[in-house]
Amino acid sequence: MKLIECPRDAMQGWHHPISTADKVDYLNTLLQVGFDTIDFGSFVSPKAIPQMADTAEVLSKLELPAGGSKLLAIVANQRGAEEAVMFEQVNYLGYPFSISETFQLRNTNKTIAESLELVQTLQELCIKNRKQLVVYISMGFGNPYGDPYDAGVAMQWVDELAKMDVSIISLADTVGVAEPDIITKLFATLIPAYPQVEFGAHFHSAPHNWEEKVSAAYAQGCRRFDSTIKGIGGCPMAKDDLVGNLATENLLWFFQEQGQAVSLNQASLEAAQRMAERIFELSANG
């Protein structure tokens, strides 16, 4: 079981600035919890995502326990990737590959065809610099734009990525539209078809329907899940304040119900939860 905690996804579109000092304190606390990976920041244009402009500075101040959580940084183009691979502390580069043409243009200013070419470049950069590429299939369960979509479309693009030897692919429910049937179909088909690929789930969800999504993916063998403490965040490019991230607390409860052992430092987790309430001003904003 791999739990990927995503404070970057929580912070990137938050409605008030978060100081570098708060980011560093929060991330250092999360690094003590025992998550497999921390999606900590992104090397993207500060004009597009101002909240992530200090990612390099934050990274320089992190305290990484030996053998502890690995670090993942999101990139949106070759320039960002070239910057990210220069940091020894970064283990993974994550790239949002949308199978909705509309959203790919909105999110990275590239067509799907251009994005696929970039994936090949990113894969080569990662191999050269001893990193690993994680590709997120954005809008992986459907989209609200009317772009062509069915399970076959998603499978087609997974096949293209697998041909490039991308070994970690996370299916992302960017706007919370995924239904259990399509989740079941995709994971039930893809996991046995591509044994060389580690498939993950990155669900954005409203509070009332997170469990059916997690349950569907888990039942088909998915063992890599992204989440954020208290379900904070979502995708600022999707413009839907009602759809946040999957809450880490809910995910841990689900695994406990399944008898799935997850070993975390409870004291550090509780400290991170308290810190999140302060940094994100949850008591004031709900």
Side-chain angles (χ1 to χ4, degrees):
M1 181 61 64
K2 291 186 179 180
L3 301 187
I4 318 303
E5 180 65 22
C6 301
R8 183 272 316 166
D9 210 356
M11 294 176 183
Q12 66 180 6
W14 202 244
H15 45 72
H16 66 75
I18 300 172
S19 71
T20 299
D22 277 344
K23 291 175 186 175
V24 170
D25 287 347
Y26 187 44
L27 288 167
N28 278 331
T29 302
L30 290 174
L31 284 164
Q32 298 298 322
V33 176
F35 296 109
D36 180 85
T37 302
I38 306 290
D39 176 355
F40 80 99
S42 58
F43 291 89
V44 297
S45 167
K47 292 182 179 178
I49 309 290
Q51 197 79 263
M52 293 289 103
D54 58 352
T55 290
E57 183 181 358
V58 168
L59 180 56
S60 71
K61 298 177 179 178
L62 296 185
E63 301 166 1
L64 300 172
S69 300
K70 296 174 281 293
L71 294 182
L72 182 151
I74 296 294
V75 299
N77 54 35
Q78 183 175 342
R79 183 206 59 76
E82 288 172 345
E83 183 179 1
V85 297
M86 297 301 293
F87 294 91
E88 184 179 352
Q89 307 98 308
V90 174
N91 305 97
Y92 300 106
L93 269 60
Y95 179 69
F97 178 81
S98 180
I99 57 176
S100 157
E101 191 85 39
T102 301
F103 191 71
Q104 190 68 64
L105 287 165
R106 176 183 289 189
N107 200 32
T108 64
N109 199 31
K110 291 179 178 61
T111 65
I112 292 178
E114 291 169 337
S115 189
L116 192 64
E117 291 180 5
L118 177 59
V119 168
Q120 183 64 56
T121 300
L122 299 181
Q123 178 74 323
E124 292 167 1
L125 270 171
C126 283
I127 292 170
K128 181 179 178 181
N129 292 278
R130 299 182 301 280
K131 312 295 185 188
Q132 195 164 6
L133 181 64
V134 179
V135 175
Y136 295 88
I137 302 288
S138 173
M139 301 287 174
F141 301 96
N143 66 81
Y145 309 114
D147 292 336
Y149 179 83
D150 58 28
V153 171
M155 293 176 192
Q156 168 198 341
W157 292 115
V158 166
D159 190 62
E160 292 292 333
L161 296 170
K163 289 175 183 176
M164 297 180 183
D165 294 326
V166 175
S167 59
I168 304 178
I169 299 174
S170 190
L171 302 179
D173 185 16
T174 316
V175 287
V177 300
E179 296 292 338
D181 287 351
I182 192 71
I183 295 172
T184 296
K185 183 173 184 178
L186 283 174
F187 282 107
T189 303
L190 292 172
I191 288 176
Y194 299 94
Q196 77 279 21
V197 175
E198 178 182 335
F199 286 97
H202 183 102
F203 292 133
H204 291 181
S205 180
H208 70 278
N209 64 354
W210 68 268
E211 187 176 356
E212 62 188 31
K213 297 182 182 187
V214 172
S215 180
Y218 183 86
Q220 300 307 320
C222 180
R223 294 297 183 268
R224 178 189 177 97
F225 288 89
D226 292 12
S227 64
T228 65
I229 285 176
K230 299 187 179 294
I232 302 165
C235 180
M237 298 300 182
K239 308 297 185 187
D240 189 344
D241 292 338
L242 298 178
V243 178
N245 282 298
L246 174 63
T248 300
E249 293 84 353
N250 288 343
L251 196 58
L252 293 175
W253 173 85
F254 176 86
F255 292 147
Q256 184 177 8
E257 290 294 300
Q258 300 300 315
Q260 176 74 56
V262 178
S263 179
L264 298 179
N265 183 314
Q266 191 64 32
S268 295
L269 177 61
E270 291 172 0
Q273 289 168 326
R274 292 191 298 270
M275 196 172 292
E277 290 178 354
R278 177 181 63 80
I279 291 173
F280 296 99
E281 299 179 356
L282 297 186
S283 59
N285 294 294

